[in-house]
């Protein structure tokens, strides 16, 4: 990214301890405020449980809180895709019930991950990972990663590829939500569905376009163009795809931990490329929508 460009006070993707973030909702919002952020969507994995607390504290800090969630989806038999729901209503019972079902797999998978690590000579991983977890249904590979790093089993930048990525000792396959179900839960609760960090899946162009086509058929409308997972050239590439496929453009830091690399300023992002059609009006965000870069 061209670091001479000023960031804007919008962040539509971040995590708290309600999923695999390292900081409480209050801490995350305090960071946003300290960074001079303004519009913030809390998008915890497979849960909206942090939003009630976030709404109260955001009001106190005079931040504009957008209801969000990041849903784990299994697409095309075995590809893990994350779908963001932005502007969702956390009191929508259909959304809450379906997310709860999805989260019920997390603890069971965690037991299997720990058993596999134990066989590989790493004891007590379940208890170790649970220490970082606010609710046991939130148990994530990120919590196992922290346990492994803090106990000296791997370096932070290598822990996933060493233990937790597909095919590694601590990997347990999991079937998540159907793409069509995730999009319909989001839409039925008043939200806009957005494909998160598309460049991270390392799909071929043909496969990415097929994902987008399936997503649009289900009623999906947006794609994340600016993401801390994307290089500058990936941002431009996804911006062009968003334009060609007529998708709304979104942006987010995907903040998890103040100590993570690359460093991100939660609450702030680089502006969208001018060819993009920003998602802002759909979320009630009033900003100069087109910033030429
Ligand atoms: P889970 O939903 O429990 O399978 O965990 C997925 C989470 O792990 C993602 O949301 C990321 O926060 C994190 N993650 C996945 N792959 C990596 C990776 N290669 N490096 C760092 N974090 C990762
Ligand atoms: Mn995560
Ligand atoms: Mn994600
Ligand atoms: Mn995320």
């Amino acid at each position: 990214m061209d670091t001479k460009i000023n960031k804007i006070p919008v962040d539509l993707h971040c995590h708290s301890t309600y999923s695999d973030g390292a900081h409480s909702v209050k801490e995350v919002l305090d960071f946003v405020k300290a960074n001079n952020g303004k519009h913030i969507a809390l998008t915890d994995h497979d849960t909206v449980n942090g939003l009630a607390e976030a709404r109260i504290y955001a009001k106190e800090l005079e931040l504009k809180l957008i209801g969000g969630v990041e849903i784990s989806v299994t697409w095309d038999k075995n590809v893990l895709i994350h779908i963001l729901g932005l502007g969702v209503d956390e009191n929508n019972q259909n959304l809450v019930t379906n997310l709860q079902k999805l989260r019920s797999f997390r603890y069971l998978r965690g037991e299997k991950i720990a058993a596999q690590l134990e066989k590989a000579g790493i004891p007590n991983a379940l208890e170790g990972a649970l220490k970082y977890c606010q609710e046991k249904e939130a148990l994530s590979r990120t919590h196992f990663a922290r346990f492994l790093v803090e106990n000296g089993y791997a370096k932070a930048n290598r822990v996933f590829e060493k233990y937790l990525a597909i095919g590694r000792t601590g990997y347990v396959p999991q079937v998540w939500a159907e793409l069509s179900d995730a999009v319909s839960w989001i839409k039925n609760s008043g939200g806009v569905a957005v494909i998160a960090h598309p460049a991270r899946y390392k799909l071929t162009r043909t496969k990415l376009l097929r994902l987008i086509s399936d997503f649009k058929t289900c009623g999906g409308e947006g794609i994340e163009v600016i993401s801390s997972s994307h290089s500058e050239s990936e941002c431009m590439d996804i911006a062009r795809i968003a334009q060609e496929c007529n998708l709304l453009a979104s942006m987010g830091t995907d903040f998890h931990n103040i100590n993570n690399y690359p460093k991100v300023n939660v609450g702030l992002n680089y502006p969208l490329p001018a060819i993009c059609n920003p998602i802002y009006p759909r979320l009630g965000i009033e900003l100069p929508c087109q910033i030429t870069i």
Side-chain angles (χ1 to χ4, degrees), residues 185-225:
W185 304 337
I186 291 166
K187 283 180 79 81
N188 291 339
S189 74
V192 185
V194 171
I195 298 174
H197 42 61
R200 206 165 104 183
Y201 312 124
K202 305 291 174 213
L203 302 175
T204 60
R205 174 65 47 130
T206 311
K207 207 161 174 184
L208 177 58
L209 292 176
R210 187 153 60 80
L211 168 65
I212 291 171
S213 166
D214 285 0
F215 175 68
K216 288 182 71 172
T217 303
C218 301
E221 296 173 85
I223 194 162
E224 215 170 37
V225 170

Side-chain angles (χ1 to χ4, degrees), residues 7 228 253 255 257-266:
K7 290 186 177 178
S228 58
T253 58
F255 174 81
N257 187 333
I258 200 88
N259 297 315
N260 276 6
Y261 187 81
K263 289 267 176 243
V264 293
N265 297 114
V266 62

Side-chain angles (χ1 to χ4, degrees), residues 7-293:
K7 290 186 177 178
I8 60 170
V10 184
D11 191 352
L12 303 176
H13 188 161
C14 72
H15 298 274
S16 74
T17 46
Y18 278 91
S19 64
D20 62 349
H23 308 281
S24 68
V25 164
K26 282 195 167 176
E27 282 178 295
V28 173
L29 295 182
D30 282 337
F31 293 142
V32 171
K33 188 71 183 175
N35 288 336
N36 286 320
K38 186 170 176 201
H39 302 272
I40 179 79
L42 178 68
T43 54
D44 274 311
H45 294 287
D46 308 319
T47 185
V48 288
N49 292 357
L51 290 174
E53 183 185 341
R55 277 195 202 284
I56 294 168
Y57 196 52
K59 203 168 179 185
E60 226 174 276
L61 296 181
E62 298 182 334
L63 298 172
K64 302 272 187 196
L65 196 277
I66 293 151
V69 62
E70 182 174 18
I71 304 183
S72 311
V73 161
T74 301
W75 173 75
D76 199 31
K77 298 191 186 75
N78 59 4
V79 185
L80 171 66
I81 301 290
H82 285 171
I83 300 294
L84 293 163
L86 297 176
V88 294
D89 170 8
E90 65 270 24
N91 297 313
N92 180 282
Q93 267 319 306
N94 179 57
L95 178 68
V96 171
T97 308
N98 283 302
L99 292 177
Q100 194 52 40
K101 279 188 207 153
L102 203 55
R103 274 154 51 90
S104 65
F105 299 130
R106 287 190 166 274
Y107 183 75
L108 298 174
R109 182 189 62 160
E111 288 183 318
K112 292 181 196 157
I113 291 175
Q116 290 184 193
L117 289 172
E118 178 136 23
K119 267 194 216 151
I122 301 175
N124 306 322
L126 185 63
E127 301 71 31
L130 281 170
K131 272 193 207 143
Y132 307 111
C133 225
Q134 179 152 329
E135 302 172 326
K136 78 182 195 343
E137 299 82 7
L139 191 57
S140 161
R141 280 184 290 163
T142 310
H143 300 117
F144 283 97
R146 282 182 73 184
F147 162 78
L148 290 166
V149 170
E150 287 176 24
N151 288 281
Y153 293 106
K155 293 261 185 288
N157 59 351
R158 297 253 309 140
V159 61
F160 270 84
E161 59 181 284
K162 194 167 172 194
Y163 288 110
L164 298 165
I166 191 160
R168 301 297 172 199
T169 325
Y171 183 78
V172 172
Q174 179 68 58
V175 179
W176 298 104
E178 291 277 340
L179 180 63
S180 55
D181 287 339
V183 173
S184 84
W185 304 337
I186 291 166
K187 283 180 79 81
N188 291 339
S189 74
V192 185
V194 171
I195 298 174
H197 42 61
R200 206 165 104 183
Y201 312 124
K202 305 291 174 213
L203 302 175
T204 60
R205 174 65 47 130
T206 311
K207 207 161 174 184
L208 177 58
L209 292 176
R210 187 153 60 80
L211 168 65
I212 291 171
S213 166
D214 285 0
F215 175 68
K216 288 182 71 172
T217 303
C218 301
E221 296 173 85
I223 194 162
E224 215 170 37
V225 170
I226 308 266
S227 166
S228 58
S229 297
H230 292 173
S231 67
E232 189 170 353
S233 71
E234 285 170 337
C235 286
M236 285 312 301
D237 193 33
I238 302 295
R240 279 189 287 271
I241 290 176
Q243 185 190 30
E244 280 159 25
C245 297
N246 208 11
L247 287 168
L248 300 169
S250 189
M251 45 156 54
T253 58
D254 203 0
F255 174 81
H256 283 77
N257 187 333
I258 200 88
N259 297 315
N260 276 6
Y261 187 81
K263 289 267 176 243
V264 293
N265 297 114
V266 62
L268 301 181
N269 276 286
Y270 288 109
L272 290 162
I275 57 168
C276 290
N277 181 18
I279 196 170
Y280 312 141
R282 291 292 299 279
L283 303 173
I285 298 174
E286 287 170 21
L287 270 187
C289 279
Q290 293 298 337
I291 298 169
T292 309
I293 62 168

